[in-house]
Amino acid sequence: MPHPTPYPVRLADEITRQLAEHLARLPPNEATPLIARILDPDDGALGGATHLVATGSTFAKFQAERGVLPAEVWLALGRAANELNDIAVDLDDHRETLRHVSTQPGHDNCPGLRDQRVV
């Protein structure tokens, strides 16, 4: 008999699904601030995901030391946390630009952006 999916896993799945659906439907002038918020390394989903992966790496290290998980799992999570952090640092260079663009009225009427939607 399969175990029911724990609530935190269902919640994470639902958040991911809803963000993707909303983002796909938004016009560019509304999508840009959402993207800026998601990619914010301090308060956004990217920063949160980086923290979660780093925490998972710490947990995996403990489990690897006890022989419950292979060390490769711990190392992979550590590498993933480092790579996510590097991405956040790279994107942080563009934080002000994203904020500025997302607050400009009417930029969704620019040619080429008006009908652009993620499909």
Side-chain angles (χ1 to χ4, degrees), residues 26-85:
L26 291 175
N29 67 315
E30 294 177 24
T32 305
L34 178 58
I35 291 168
R37 178 62 179 187
I38 289 169
L39 297 179
D40 188 295
D42 299 323
D43 301 318
L46 178 59
T50 302
H51 178 72
L52 286 171
V53 173
T55 301
S57 175
T58 302
F59 170 79
K61 177 185 179 199
F62 176 73
Q63 295 300 322
E65 289 170 345
R66 294 179 52 223
V68 176
L69 285 175
E72 292 81 9
V73 173
W74 162 40
L75 296 172
L77 283 168
R79 282 192 306 273
N82 289 338
E83 289 178 21
L84 284 170
N85 186 65

Side-chain angles (χ1 to χ4, degrees), residues 96-113:
E96 289 306 316
T97 302
L98 282 169
R99 285 184 184 158
H100 175 74
V101 170
S102 70
T103 60
Q104 298 304 303
H107 71 272
D108 61 325
N109 292 322
C110 297
L113 286 180

